[in-house]
Amino acid sequence: MIETALAFVVALVSGAVPVINIELYLVGAVVAMDDGALVAMAVAAGLGQTLGKLPYYYVGRGTIAVPWLRRKAQTPGKWAARAEGWRRKAEARPLWGAGLVALSSFASVPPFMVVSVLAGVVRMHVVLFSVVTFVTRTARFLIVVFAPAWALSLLP
């Protein structure tokens, strides 16, 4: 139980502070846990990462003020034109935006912190962003916790 709570806390902090790595924490926990605890930890980490990325989403949306980003958005130029183009594309194709969030959340390409801000900029629905993030992050963390055991089972 305490390991699951710690996985949630580490994931929450790592979602907000990108230099903290939840994957390293989870791989380290694999040694001491059984399969049921690993699933719980992966789900807790998925929830923590989802909540940790929401501030970035709200920065992009403009709900949380970041002065330099606000100036960029209000200043006519390439950045504002690109943001408007992405917003129109996301409104026209909502599944495209959800697919980009899913790809980035699962594979971290493009970087998920950037995509989280972009999701806010294009005004993706927060529930859609949260659900896609939770599902794909949890899937990623399930792979992270079960891959070492699977790899060890292949050894003679």
Side-chain angles (χ1 to χ4, degrees):
M1 178 68 179
I2 190 81
E3 295 83 8
T4 302
L6 279 173
F8 172 79
V9 171
V10 172
L12 180 66
V13 172
S14 75
V17 182
V19 295
I20 297 172
N21 193 317
I22 183 60
E23 287 86 352
L24 286 177
Y25 175 83
L26 291 174
V27 168
V30 167
V31 176
M33 303 292 128
D34 63 13
D35 288 354
L38 292 177
V39 171
M41 288 177 66
V43 171
L47 180 60
Q49 279 272 299
T50 300
L51 295 175
K53 293 302 181 192
L54 281 175
Y56 290 107
Y57 170 87
Y58 284 115
V59 162
R61 196 159 181 130
T63 306
I64 298 175
V66 176
W68 71 267
L69 189 60
R70 183 165 286 169
R71 280 193 306 273
K72 279 280 213 190
Q74 292 172 347
T75 307
K78 277 200 290 186
W79 194 89
R82 281 186 186 161
E84 184 56 35
W86 283 94
R87 182 177 298 133
R88 276 182 287 170
K89 186 179 263 189
E91 286 174 358
R93 300 182 192 118
L95 290 179
W96 177 86
L100 179 62
V101 169
L103 174 67
S104 179
S105 175
F106 185 77
S108 294
V109 176
F112 191 48
M113 183 178 72
V114 173
V115 171
S116 297
V117 173
L118 182 61
V121 167
V122 300
R123 305 257 186 235
M124 175 183 274
H125 197 282
V126 69
V127 172
L128 178 61
F129 173 79
S130 298
V131 168
V132 169
T133 298
F134 174 72
V135 169
T136 53
R137 285 313 241 187
T138 300
R140 174 188 175 105
F141 298 143
L142 284 168
I143 291 169
V144 166
V145 298
F146 285 113
W150 176 76
L152 288 174
S153 73
L154 295 177
L155 294 176

CSV table of all heavy atoms in Angstrom, one decimal, residues 68-119:
chain,number,residue,atom,x,y,z
A,68,TRP,N,5.7,35.4,-20.0
A,68,TRP,CA,6.4,35.4,-21.3
A,68,TRP,C,5.5,34.7,-22.3
A,68,TRP,O,5.5,35.1,-23.5
A,68,TRP,CB,7.8,34.8,-21.2
A,68,TRP,CG,7.8,33.3,-21.0
A,68,TRP,CD1,7.9,32.7,-19.8
A,68,TRP,CD2,7.7,32.3,-22.0
A,68,TRP,NE1,7.9,31.3,-19.9
A,68,TRP,CE2,7.8,31.1,-21.3
A,68,TRP,CE3,7.6,32.3,-23.3
A,68,TRP,CZ2,7.7,29.8,-21.9
A,68,TRP,CZ3,7.5,31.0,-24.0
A,68,TRP,CH2,7.6,29.9,-23.3
A,69,LEU,N,4.7,33.7,-21.9
A,69,LEU,CA,3.9,32.9,-22.8
A,69,LEU,C,2.7,33.8,-23.2
A,69,LEU,O,2.3,33.8,-24.4
A,69,LEU,CB,3.4,31.6,-22.2
A,69,LEU,CG,2.7,30.7,-23.1
A,69,LEU,CD1,3.5,30.2,-24.2
A,69,LEU,CD2,2.2,29.5,-22.3
A,70,ARG,N,2.2,34.6,-22.3
A,70,ARG,CA,1.1,35.5,-22.6
A,70,ARG,C,1.5,36.6,-23.6
A,70,ARG,O,0.8,36.9,-24.5
A,70,ARG,CB,0.5,36.1,-21.3
A,70,ARG,CG,-0.6,37.0,-21.5
A,70,ARG,CD,-1.4,37.4,-20.3
A,70,ARG,NE,-2.1,36.1,-19.9
A,70,ARG,CZ,-2.7,36.0,-18.7
A,70,ARG,NH1,-2.7,36.9,-17.8
A,70,ARG,NH2,-3.3,34.9,-18.5
A,71,ARG,N,2.7,37.1,-23.4
A,71,ARG,CA,3.2,38.1,-24.3
A,71,ARG,C,3.4,37.5,-25.7
A,71,ARG,O,3.0,38.2,-26.7
A,71,ARG,CB,4.6,38.6,-23.8
A,71,ARG,CG,4.5,39.7,-22.7
A,71,ARG,CD,5.8,40.4,-22.5
A,71,ARG,NE,6.9,39.5,-22.2
A,71,ARG,CZ,7.2,39.0,-21.0
A,71,ARG,NH1,6.5,39.4,-20.0
A,71,ARG,NH2,8.3,38.2,-20.9
A,72,LYS,N,3.9,36.3,-25.8
A,72,LYS,CA,4.0,35.6,-27.1
A,72,LYS,C,2.7,35.4,-27.8
A,72,LYS,O,2.6,35.7,-29.0
A,72,LYS,CB,4.7,34.2,-26.9
A,72,LYS,CG,6.1,34.2,-26.7
A,72,LYS,CD,6.7,34.4,-28.1
A,72,LYS,CE,8.0,33.6,-28.2
A,72,LYS,NZ,8.7,34.0,-29.4
A,73,ALA,N,1.7,35.1,-27.0
A,73,ALA,CA,0.4,34.8,-27.6
A,73,ALA,C,-0.3,36.1,-28.1
A,73,ALA,O,-1.1,36.1,-29.0
A,73,ALA,CB,-0.5,34.1,-26.6
A,74,GLN,N,0.0,37.2,-27.4
A,74,GLN,CA,-0.6,38.5,-27.7
A,74,GLN,C,0.1,39.2,-28.8
A,74,GLN,O,-0.4,40.1,-29.4
A,74,GLN,CB,-0.8,39.3,-26.5
A,74,GLN,CG,-1.8,38.8,-25.5
A,74,GLN,CD,-1.8,39.5,-24.2
A,74,GLN,OE1,-0.9,40.3,-23.9
A,74,GLN,NE2,-2.8,39.2,-23.4
A,75,THR,N,1.4,38.9,-29.0
A,75,THR,CA,2.2,39.6,-30.0
A,75,THR,C,2.0,39.0,-31.4
A,75,THR,O,2.2,37.8,-31.5
A,75,THR,CB,3.7,39.5,-29.6
A,75,THR,OG1,3.8,39.9,-28.3
A,75,THR,CG2,4.5,40.3,-30.5
A,76,PRO,N,1.6,39.8,-32.4
A,76,PRO,CA,1.5,39.2,-33.7
A,76,PRO,C,2.8,38.7,-34.2
A,76,PRO,O,3.9,39.3,-33.9
A,76,PRO,CB,1.0,40.4,-34.6
A,76,PRO,CG,0.9,41.5,-33.7
A,76,PRO,CD,1.3,41.2,-32.3
A,77,GLY,N,2.8,37.6,-34.8
A,77,GLY,CA,4.1,37.0,-35.3
A,77,GLY,C,3.9,35.5,-35.6
A,77,GLY,O,2.8,35.0,-35.7
A,78,LYS,N,5.1,34.9,-35.8
A,78,LYS,CA,5.0,33.5,-36.2
A,78,LYS,C,4.4,32.6,-35.1
A,78,LYS,O,3.6,31.7,-35.4
A,78,LYS,CB,6.5,33.0,-36.5
A,78,LYS,CG,6.9,33.3,-37.8
A,78,LYS,CD,8.1,32.4,-38.2
A,78,LYS,CE,9.3,32.7,-37.5
A,78,LYS,NZ,10.5,32.0,-38.0
A,79,TRP,N,4.7,32.8,-33.8
A,79,TRP,CA,4.2,32.0,-32.8
A,79,TRP,C,2.7,32.0,-32.7
A,79,TRP,O,2.0,31.0,-32.6
A,79,TRP,CB,4.8,32.4,-31.4
A,79,TRP,CG,4.6,31.3,-30.4
A,79,TRP,CD1,5.4,30.3,-30.1
A,79,TRP,CD2,3.5,31.2,-29.5
A,79,TRP,NE1,4.9,29.5,-29.1
A,79,TRP,CE2,3.7,30.1,-28.7
A,79,TRP,CE3,2.4,32.0,-29.3
A,79,TRP,CZ2,2.8,29.6,-27.7
A,79,TRP,CZ3,1.5,31.5,-28.3
A,79,TRP,CH2,1.7,30.4,-27.5
A,80,ALA,N,2.2,33.2,-32.7
A,80,ALA,CA,0.7,33.4,-32.6
A,80,ALA,C,0.0,32.8,-33.8
A,80,ALA,O,-1.0,32.1,-33.7
A,80,ALA,CB,0.3,34.9,-32.5
A,81,ALA,N,0.6,32.9,-35.0
A,81,ALA,CA,0.0,32.4,-36.2
A,81,ALA,C,0.1,30.8,-36.2
A,81,ALA,O,-0.9,30.2,-36.5
A,81,ALA,CB,0.8,32.9,-37.5
A,82,ARG,N,1.2,30.3,-35.7
A,82,ARG,CA,1.3,28.8,-35.6
A,82,ARG,C,0.2,28.3,-34.6
A,82,ARG,O,-0.4,27.3,-34.8
A,82,ARG,CB,2.6,28.4,-35.1
A,82,ARG,CG,3.6,28.4,-36.2
A,82,ARG,CD,5.0,27.8,-35.7
A,82,ARG,NE,6.0,28.0,-36.7
A,82,ARG,CZ,7.3,27.9,-36.5
A,82,ARG,NH1,7.7,27.7,-35.2
A,82,ARG,NH2,8.1,28.0,-37.4
A,83,ALA,N,0.1,29.0,-33.4
A,83,ALA,CA,-0.8,28.5,-32.4
A,83,ALA,C,-2.3,28.5,-33.0
A,83,ALA,O,-3.0,27.6,-32.7
A,83,ALA,CB,-0.7,29.4,-31.2
A,84,GLU,N,-2.6,29.6,-33.7
A,84,GLU,CA,-3.9,29.7,-34.3
A,84,GLU,C,-4.1,28.6,-35.4
A,84,GLU,O,-5.2,28.0,-35.4
A,84,GLU,CB,-4.1,31.0,-35.0
A,84,GLU,CG,-5.5,31.2,-35.5
A,84,GLU,CD,-6.6,31.0,-34.5
A,84,GLU,OE1,-6.4,31.4,-33.3
A,84,GLU,OE2,-7.7,30.5,-34.9
A,85,GLY,N,-3.1,28.3,-36.1
A,85,GLY,CA,-3.2,27.2,-37.1
A,85,GLY,C,-3.4,25.8,-36.4
A,85,GLY,O,-4.3,25.0,-36.9
A,86,TRP,N,-2.7,25.6,-35.4
A,86,TRP,CA,-2.9,24.3,-34.6
A,86,TRP,C,-4.3,24.3,-34.0
A,86,TRP,O,-4.9,23.2,-34.0
A,86,TRP,CB,-1.8,24.2,-33.5
A,86,TRP,CG,-0.5,23.8,-34.0
A,86,TRP,CD1,0.6,24.6,-34.3
A,86,TRP,CD2,0.0,22.5,-34.2
A,86,TRP,NE1,1.6,23.9,-34.8
A,86,TRP,CE2,1.3,22.6,-34.7
A,86,TRP,CE3,-0.6,21.2,-34.1
A,86,TRP,CZ2,2.1,21.5,-35.0
A,86,TRP,CZ3,0.2,20.1,-34.4
A,86,TRP,CH2,1.5,20.2,-34.9
A,87,ARG,N,-4.7,25.4,-33.5
A,87,ARG,CA,-6.1,25.4,-32.9
A,87,ARG,C,-7.2,25.1,-33.9
A,87,ARG,O,-8.0,24.3,-33.6
A,87,ARG,CB,-6.4,26.8,-32.3
A,87,ARG,CG,-7.7,26.9,-31.6
A,87,ARG,CD,-8.0,28.2,-30.9
A,87,ARG,NE,-7.0,28.4,-29.9
A,87,ARG,CZ,-6.3,29.6,-29.7
A,87,ARG,NH1,-6.5,30.6,-30.5
A,87,ARG,NH2,-5.4,29.7,-28.8
A,88,ARG,N,-7.1,25.7,-35.1
A,88,ARG,CA,-8.0,25.3,-36.2
A,88,ARG,C,-8.0,23.9,-36.6
A,88,ARG,O,-9.0,23.2,-36.7
A,88,ARG,CB,-7.8,26.2,-37.4
A,88,ARG,CG,-8.5,27.6,-37.2
A,88,ARG,CD,-8.3,28.4,-38.4
A,88,ARG,NE,-6.9,28.8,-38.3
A,88,ARG,CZ,-6.1,29.3,-39.2
A,88,ARG,NH1,-6.6,29.6,-40.3
A,88,ARG,NH2,-4.9,29.6,-39.0
A,89,LYS,N,-6.8,23.3,-36.7
A,89,LYS,CA,-6.6,21.9,-37.1
A,89,LYS,C,-7.2,21.0,-36.0
A,89,LYS,O,-7.9,20.0,-36.3
A,89,LYS,CB,-5.1,21.6,-37.3
A,89,LYS,CG,-4.9,20.2,-37.8
A,89,LYS,CD,-3.4,20.0,-38.0
A,89,LYS,CE,-3.1,20.2,-39.4
A,89,LYS,NZ,-1.7,19.8,-39.7
A,90,ALA,N,-7.0,21.4,-34.7
A,90,ALA,CA,-7.5,20.5,-33.6
A,90,ALA,C,-9.0,20.6,-33.5
A,90,ALA,O,-9.7,19.6,-33.2
A,90,ALA,CB,-6.9,21.0,-32.3
A,91,GLU,N,-9.6,21.8,-33.8
A,91,GLU,CA,-11.0,21.9,-33.8
A,91,GLU,C,-11.7,21.1,-34.9
A,91,GLU,O,-12.7,20.5,-34.8
A,91,GLU,CB,-11.4,23.4,-33.9
A,91,GLU,CG,-11.2,24.1,-32.6
A,91,GLU,CD,-11.5,25.6,-32.7
A,91,GLU,OE1,-11.8,26.1,-33.9
A,91,GLU,OE2,-11.3,26.3,-31.7
A,92,ALA,N,-11.0,21.1,-36.1
A,92,ALA,CA,-11.5,20.4,-37.3
A,92,ALA,C,-11.4,18.9,-37.1
A,92,ALA,O,-12.2,18.2,-37.6
A,92,ALA,CB,-10.8,20.9,-38.5
A,93,ARG,N,-10.3,18.5,-36.4
A,93,ARG,CA,-10.1,17.0,-36.3
A,93,ARG,C,-9.8,16.7,-34.8
A,93,ARG,O,-8.6,16.6,-34.5
A,93,ARG,CB,-8.9,16.6,-37.2
A,93,ARG,CG,-9.1,16.9,-38.6
A,93,ARG,CD,-7.9,16.4,-39.4
A,93,ARG,NE,-8.0,16.9,-40.8
A,93,ARG,CZ,-7.2,17.7,-41.3
A,93,ARG,NH1,-6.1,18.1,-40.7
A,93,ARG,NH2,-7.3,18.1,-42.6
A,94,PRO,N,-10.8,16.6,-34.0
A,94,PRO,CA,-10.5,16.3,-32.6
A,94,PRO,C,-9.8,15.0,-32.3
A,94,PRO,O,-9.0,14.9,-31.4
A,94,PRO,CB,-11.9,16.3,-31.9
A,94,PRO,CG,-12.9,16.6,-33.0
A,94,PRO,CD,-12.2,16.7,-34.3
A,95,LEU,N,-10.0,14.0,-33.1
A,95,LEU,CA,-9.3,12.7,-33.0
A,95,LEU,C,-7.8,12.9,-33.3
A,95,LEU,O,-6.9,12.2,-32.7
A,95,LEU,CB,-9.9,11.6,-33.8
A,95,LEU,CG,-11.3,11.2,-33.3
A,95,LEU,CD1,-11.8,10.1,-34.3
A,95,LEU,CD2,-11.2,10.7,-31.9
A,96,TRP,N,-7.4,13.8,-34.2
A,96,TRP,CA,-6.0,14.1,-34.5
A,96,TRP,C,-5.3,14.6,-33.2
A,96,TRP,O,-4.2,14.1,-32.9
A,96,TRP,CB,-6.0,15.1,-35.6
A,96,TRP,CG,-4.6,15.5,-36.0
A,96,TRP,CD1,-3.7,14.9,-36.9
A,96,TRP,CD2,-3.9,16.6,-35.5
A,96,TRP,NE1,-2.5,15.5,-36.9
A,96,TRP,CE2,-2.6,16.6,-36.1
A,96,TRP,CE3,-4.2,17.6,-34.6
A,96,TRP,CZ2,-1.6,17.6,-35.8
A,96,TRP,CZ3,-3.2,18.6,-34.3
A,96,TRP,CH2,-1.9,18.5,-34.9
A,97,GLY,N,-5.9,15.5,-32.5
A,97,GLY,CA,-5.4,16.1,-31.3
A,97,GLY,C,-5.2,15.0,-30.2
A,97,GLY,O,-4.2,14.9,-29.6
A,98,ALA,N,-6.3,14.2,-30.1
A,98,ALA,CA,-6.2,13.1,-29.1
A,98,ALA,C,-5.2,12.1,-29.4
A,98,ALA,O,-4.5,11.6,-28.6
A,98,ALA,CB,-7.6,12.4,-29.0
A,99,GLY,N,-5.0,11.8,-30.7
A,99,GLY,CA,-4.0,10.9,-31.2
A,99,GLY,C,-2.6,11.4,-30.9
A,99,GLY,O,-1.7,10.7,-30.5
A,100,LEU,N,-2.4,12.7,-31.1
A,100,LEU,CA,-1.1,13.3,-30.8
A,100,LEU,C,-0.8,13.2,-29.3
A,100,LEU,O,0.3,12.9,-28.9
A,100,LEU,CB,-1.0,14.8,-31.3
A,100,LEU,CG,0.3,15.5,-31.0
A,100,LEU,CD1,1.5,14.8,-31.7
A,100,LEU,CD2,0.2,16.9,-31.4
A,101,VAL,N,-1.8,13.5,-28.5
A,101,VAL,CA,-1.6,13.4,-27.0
A,101,VAL,C,-1.3,12.0,-26.6
A,101,VAL,O,-0.4,11.7,-25.8
A,101,VAL,CB,-2.9,14.0,-26.3
A,101,VAL,CG1,-2.8,13.6,-24.8
A,101,VAL,CG2,-3.0,15.5,-26.4
A,102,ALA,N,-2.0,11.0,-27.2
A,102,ALA,CA,-1.8,9.6,-26.9
A,102,ALA,C,-0.4,9.2,-27.3
A,102,ALA,O,0.3,8.5,-26.5
A,102,ALA,CB,-2.8,8.7,-27.6
A,103,LEU,N,0.1,9.5,-28.5
A,103,LEU,CA,1.4,9.2,-28.9
A,103,LEU,C,2.5,9.8,-28.0
A,103,LEU,O,3.4,9.1,-27.6
A,103,LEU,CB,1.6,9.7,-30.4
A,103,LEU,CG,3.0,9.5,-30.9
A,103,LEU,CD1,3.4,8.0,-31.1
A,103,LEU,CD2,3.2,10.2,-32.3
A,104,SER,N,2.3,11.1,-27.8
A,104,SER,CA,3.3,11.7,-26.9
A,104,SER,C,3.3,11.2,-25.5
A,104,SER,O,4.4,11.0,-24.9
A,104,SER,CB,3.0,13.2,-26.9
A,104,SER,OG,4.0,13.9,-26.1
A,105,SER,N,2.1,11.0,-25.0
A,105,SER,CA,2.0,10.5,-23.6
A,105,SER,C,2.6,9.1,-23.5
A,105,SER,O,3.3,8.8,-22.5
A,105,SER,CB,0.5,10.4,-23.2
A,105,SER,OG,0.4,9.8,-21.9
A,106,PHE,N,2.4,8.2,-24.5
A,106,PHE,CA,2.9,6.9,-24.4
A,106,PHE,C,4.4,6.8,-24.7
A,106,PHE,O,5.2,6.1,-24.1
A,106,PHE,CB,2.1,6.0,-25.4
A,106,PHE,CG,2.5,4.5,-25.3
A,106,PHE,CD1,2.1,3.7,-24.3
A,106,PHE,CD2,3.3,4.0,-26.3
A,106,PHE,CE1,2.4,2.4,-24.2
A,106,PHE,CE2,3.7,2.6,-26.2
A,106,PHE,CZ,3.3,1.9,-25.1
A,107,ALA,N,4.8,7.5,-25.8
A,107,ALA,CA,6.2,7.3,-26.3
A,107,ALA,C,7.1,8.5,-26.0
A,107,ALA,O,8.3,8.4,-26.2
A,107,ALA,CB,6.2,7.1,-27.8
A,108,SER,N,6.5,9.6,-25.5
A,108,SER,CA,7.3,10.8,-25.2
A,108,SER,C,7.9,11.4,-26.4
A,108,SER,O,8.9,12.1,-26.3
A,108,SER,CB,8.4,10.6,-24.1
A,108,SER,OG,7.7,10.3,-22.9
A,109,VAL,N,7.4,11.2,-27.5
A,109,VAL,CA,7.8,11.8,-28.8
A,109,VAL,C,6.5,12.3,-29.5
A,109,VAL,O,5.7,11.5,-29.9
A,109,VAL,CB,8.5,10.8,-29.7
A,109,VAL,CG1,8.9,11.5,-31.0
A,109,VAL,CG2,9.8,10.3,-29.0
A,110,PRO,N,6.4,13.6,-29.7
A,110,PRO,CA,7.2,14.7,-29.2
A,110,PRO,C,7.1,14.8,-27.7
A,110,PRO,O,6.2,14.2,-27.1
A,110,PRO,CB,6.6,15.9,-29.9
A,110,PRO,CG,5.2,15.5,-30.3
A,110,PRO,CD,5.2,14.0,-30.5
A,111,PRO,N,8.0,15.6,-27.1
A,111,PRO,CA,8.0,15.7,-25.6
A,111,PRO,C,6.6,16.0,-25.0
A,111,PRO,O,5.9,16.9,-25.5
A,111,PRO,CB,9.0,16.8,-25.3
A,111,PRO,CG,9.8,16.8,-26.5
A,111,PRO,CD,9.0,16.5,-27.7
A,112,PHE,N,6.2,15.2,-24.0
A,112,PHE,CA,4.8,15.3,-23.5
A,112,PHE,C,4.6,16.6,-22.8
A,112,PHE,O,3.5,17.1,-22.8
A,112,PHE,CB,4.5,14.1,-22.6
A,112,PHE,CG,3.1,14.0,-22.3
A,112,PHE,CD1,2.1,14.1,-23.2
A,112,PHE,CD2,2.7,13.8,-21.0
A,112,PHE,CE1,0.7,14.1,-22.9
A,112,PHE,CE2,1.3,13.8,-20.6
A,112,PHE,CZ,0.4,13.9,-21.6
A,113,MET,N,5.6,17.2,-22.2
A,113,MET,CA,5.4,18.5,-21.5
A,113,MET,C,4.9,19.5,-22.6
A,113,MET,O,4.0,20.3,-22.3
A,113,MET,CB,6.7,18.9,-20.8
A,113,MET,CG,6.5,20.2,-20.0
A,113,MET,SD,8.0,20.7,-19.2
A,113,MET,CE,9.0,21.2,-20.5
A,114,VAL,N,5.6,19.5,-23.7
A,114,VAL,CA,5.3,20.5,-24.8
A,114,VAL,C,3.9,20.2,-25.3
A,114,VAL,O,3.1,21.1,-25.5
A,114,VAL,CB,6.3,20.4,-25.9
A,114,VAL,CG1,5.9,21.3,-27.1
A,114,VAL,CG2,7.7,20.8,-25.4
A,115,VAL,N,3.5,18.9,-25.5
A,115,VAL,CA,2.2,18.6,-26.0
A,115,VAL,C,1.1,18.9,-25.0
A,115,VAL,O,0.0,19.3,-25.4
A,115,VAL,CB,2.2,17.1,-26.5
A,115,VAL,CG1,0.8,16.6,-26.8
A,115,VAL,CG2,3.1,16.9,-27.6
A,116,SER,N,1.4,18.8,-23.7
A,116,SER,CA,0.5,19.2,-22.7
A,116,SER,C,0.1,20.7,-22.8
A,116,SER,O,-1.1,21.0,-22.7
A,116,SER,CB,1.0,18.9,-21.3
A,116,SER,OG,1.2,17.5,-21.2
A,117,VAL,N,1.1,21.5,-23.0
A,117,VAL,CA,0.9,22.9,-23.2
A,117,VAL,C,0.1,23.2,-24.5
A,117,VAL,O,-0.9,23.9,-24.5
A,117,VAL,CB,2.2,23.7,-23.2
A,117,VAL,CG1,2.0,25.2,-23.5
A,117,VAL,CG2,2.9,23.6,-21.8
A,118,LEU,N,0.5,22.5,-25.5
A,118,LEU,CA,-0.2,22.6,-26.8
A,118,LEU,C,-1.6,22.2,-26.7
A,118,LEU,O,-2.5,22.9,-27.3
A,118,LEU,CB,0.6,21.8,-27.9
A,118,LEU,CG,0.0,21.9,-29.3
A,118,LEU,CD1,0.1,23.3,-29.8
A,118,LEU,CD2,0.7,20.9,-30.2
A,119,ALA,N,-1.9,21.2,-26.0
A,119,ALA,CA,-3.3,20.7,-25.8
A,119,ALA,C,-4.2,21.9,-25.2
A,119,ALA,O,-5.3,22.1,-25.5
A,119,ALA,CB,-3.4,19.5,-25.0
